[in-house]
Amino acid sequence: MLNNRFVTGAPVWVDMCAPDLGSVRNFYRSLFGWELRQGAEDVGGYSQYQLGDRTAAGAMAIPAEEAPPSWTLYFRTPEVDATVKAVEQAGGRTLFEAVDILDLGRMAGAVDSADASFAVWQQGELKGLDVLNEPGGLVWAELYTPDVPAAVAFYEAVFGWQTTEASFPGGSYTMVHPADGTADDMFGGVAPLATDPTEAGSEAYWLPYFQVTDCDDMVAKARESGGTVRMDTVEMEGVGRFAKLADPAGARFAVLQPSPPGEQGQ
């Protein structure tokens, strides 16, 4: 699972955009207890979702004509500019050029070879999120793509990710972890779009999972708060209970209630 070691290639940040952050403020407060802290002018109004005094995610108001409401994952790199070149060499492209964010770090936006968007972060004073792998925090990431082997090859070329295949009745699931990590640093999976009824017809994209203590309660709260339940609660042995949701603006994400530690991976 995710942790705050923040090794190269690991997720270190996640943020969402919507035309009006006020339209989703109460939604995320209801689900996760997040409070939206408005950003200052020196960071372009970039805001943060806080759980207490810790940062769980970022947020930015972006007009709908510039970007659809969505969540974006950031992966750590020691050198943004070199990673951007690696993205282009591997068949991806740059969404926006590398830029310094005060003394906090340096970032760039990109899409992979199947047009799934993501961002890269070169840490300065800001290493990453404070809330990870606990209720209200990012706990997993899933890439939906039309060609799993091609996607794996792309991210191996860019970040050096390593993979492990997990078998389940009827198939297998490709899990990824950083080159500098171990199987204990697994942070996500790669899944084919065509085999998931919820995702069939969708474009390639990264889906963030946030940890919760009661998946059914989150599904009910999402409905009550104006969100959409894209996939109702599913239970998977050794993993836990999870559901796919979208906020009132349409940004997609998932929630995961992990199995008790003694039951995980069984």
Side-chain angles (χ1 to χ4, degrees):
M1 291 293 186
L2 289 168
N3 56 60
N4 59 6
R5 290 178 56 224
F6 298 138
V7 298
T8 295
V12 296
W13 195 264
V14 65
D15 64 16
M16 59 83 61
C17 68
D20 175 16
L21 295 182
S23 68
V24 298
R25 179 195 297 262
N26 290 336
F27 177 83
Y28 288 112
R29 179 189 293 130
S30 174
L31 263 66
F32 304 131
W34 293 349
E35 294 294 339
L36 185 65
R37 187 180 73 185
Q38 182 65 42
E41 291 184 6
D42 60 354
V43 289
Y46 188 85
S47 303
Q48 294 183 7
Y49 288 111
Q50 301 285 122
L51 191 59
D53 59 355
R54 300 181 299 155
T55 301
M60 186 71 178
I62 298 179
E65 60 270 20
E66 294 185 16
S70 59
W71 280 93
T72 299
L73 283 156
Y74 291 64
F75 300 102
R76 185 188 183 279
T77 175
E79 175 48 59
V80 162
D81 299 272
T83 300
V84 167
K85 291 181 181 178
V87 165
E88 294 171 346
Q89 291 171 354
R93 57 187 173 85
T94 304
L95 279 180
F96 58 86
E97 298 296 333
V99 59
D100 291 318
I101 310 298
L102 303 179
D103 295 328
L104 299 175
R106 185 170 174 79
M107 65 171 290
V111 296
D112 65 21
S113 53
D115 275 349
S117 62
F118 64 97
V120 291
W121 180 256
Q122 177 183 333
Q123 70 180 48
E125 293 182 357
L126 178 64
K127 291 184 178 181
L129 296 170
D130 300 314
V131 186
L132 290 168
N133 201 27
E134 63 178 276
L138 185 68
V139 66
W140 191 252
E142 204 158 56
L143 173 64
Y144 286 93
T145 184
D147 188 334
V148 170
V152 168
F154 172 86
Y155 289 100
E156 284 181 347
V158 174
F159 295 116
W161 288 354
Q162 298 178 9
T163 62
T164 297
E165 293 295 319
S167 298
F168 62 89
S172 64
Y173 182 63
T174 302
M175 299 187 295
V176 294
H177 66 84
D180 293 337
T182 68
D184 292 334
D185 296 307
M186 292 287 182
F187 63 78
V190 185
L193 279 167
T195 61
D196 190 320
T198 306
E199 307 300 343
S202 173
E203 76 289 350
Y205 79 108
W206 278 99
L207 180 70
Y209 281 66
F210 298 100
Q211 185 169 325
V212 297
T213 56
D214 188 327
C215 190
D216 295 319
D217 182 50
M218 289 299 105
V219 168
K221 285 182 177 178
R223 287 195 174 103
E224 294 168 358
S225 303
T228 301
V229 179
R230 302 177 56 238
M231 184 188 78
D232 215 330
T233 302
V234 172
E235 185 164 5
M236 182 172 290
E237 185 178 358
V239 174
R241 296 167 59 79
F242 58 95
K244 295 180 181 179
L245 310 173
D247 68 24
R252 297 171 292 185
F253 65 99
V255 292
L256 170 65
Q257 175 188 340
S259 297
E263 298 178 12
Q264 291 178 11
Q266 294 183 1

